[in-house]
Amino acid sequence: QVQLVESGGGLVKPGGSLRLSCAASGFTFSDHYMSWVRQAPGKGLEWVGYISNTGNTIYYADSVKARFTISRDNAESSLHLQMKSLRAEDTAVYYCARVWRSGWPLDSWGPGTLVTVSS
Amino acid sequence: QSVLTQPPSASGTPGQRVTFSCSGSSSNIGGNTVNWYQQLPGTAPKLLIYANNQRPSGVPDRFSGSKSGTSASLAISGLQSEDEADYYCAAWDDSLHGVLFGGGTKLTVL
């Protein structure tokens, strides 16, 4: 079955960097767009960005543009989120999710990894 | 502040039918399909409804979705205690070139 597992979260100081990874299994990773979604403590869901199945197209939410970089390794079935210049408001659980089909339904989600930005 | 507007809370008793609204604009709901997610406490979101009114395999037919113009709604019939969760609508936004989520509606089963 489809499985997504994030890793790399932790405590980082404001202005610092962190790299999240998402290991995918149970499906043909290179067939699917992938997305990152985050959720601040006690808040709603916020889309972070997506990457096309080939990696040629990447889009970001304005809140993370120029600070976050999404990449993928289809050979390793892995998705990555490089975060820099982190701010307190980036504190959240970060989920990777599979884009199932047209219309952008995110049909499979990882359990999430918590990123805390604090001094 | 979410561009897709959802009421923050809703409640119902077991067996009742409850509905959730999601209001957007022509750049999102008005021109694209709506998806709904259920998030049980302490867990990752789960796709509940896609393409306005389609249920993924395994989702009970107690859950249904609809869309009209720039608004969408989710209905749960035969409410059960395990339906207590947060419910989010989402749609692609052509102006932002990204996915928009609503602020979520917290359902309490009394």
Side-chain angles (χ1 to χ4, degrees), chain A residues 12-89:
Chain A
V12 60
K13 289 181 168 52
S17 299
L18 206 59
R19 186 177 191 245
L20 306 184
S21 295
C22 171
S25 61
F27 66 103
T28 304
F29 183 71
S30 58
D31 283 350
H32 289 268
Y33 283 37
M34 297 294 294
S35 191
W36 287 97
V37 177
R38 68 183 182 182
Q39 186 170 35
K43 302 296 184 182
L45 302 172
E46 180 188 15
W47 176 75
V48 172
Y50 80 85
I51 184 169
S52 65
N53 59 318
T54 61
N56 290 341
T57 302
I58 306 171
Y59 274 91
Y60 302 94
D62 287 344
S63 58
V64 306
K65 204 172 291 184
R67 299 188 301 121
F68 288 13
T69 302
I70 298 174
S71 62
R72 65 189 295 159
D73 183 338
N74 284 345
E76 296 288 329
S77 296
S78 60
L79 176 72
H80 305 284
L81 180 65
Q82 178 68 51
M83 305 182 292
K84 67 177 184 180
S85 303
L86 283 162
R87 308 164 179 165
E89 54 265 36

Side-chain angles (χ1 to χ4, degrees), chain A residues 81-103:
Chain A
L81 180 65
Q82 178 68 51
M83 305 182 292
K84 67 177 184 180
S85 303
L86 283 162
R87 308 164 179 165
E89 54 265 36
D90 295 318
T91 294
V93 174
Y94 286 74
Y95 298 101
C96 69
R98 184 179 82 163
V99 182
W100 179 24
R101 45 183 288 164
S102 63

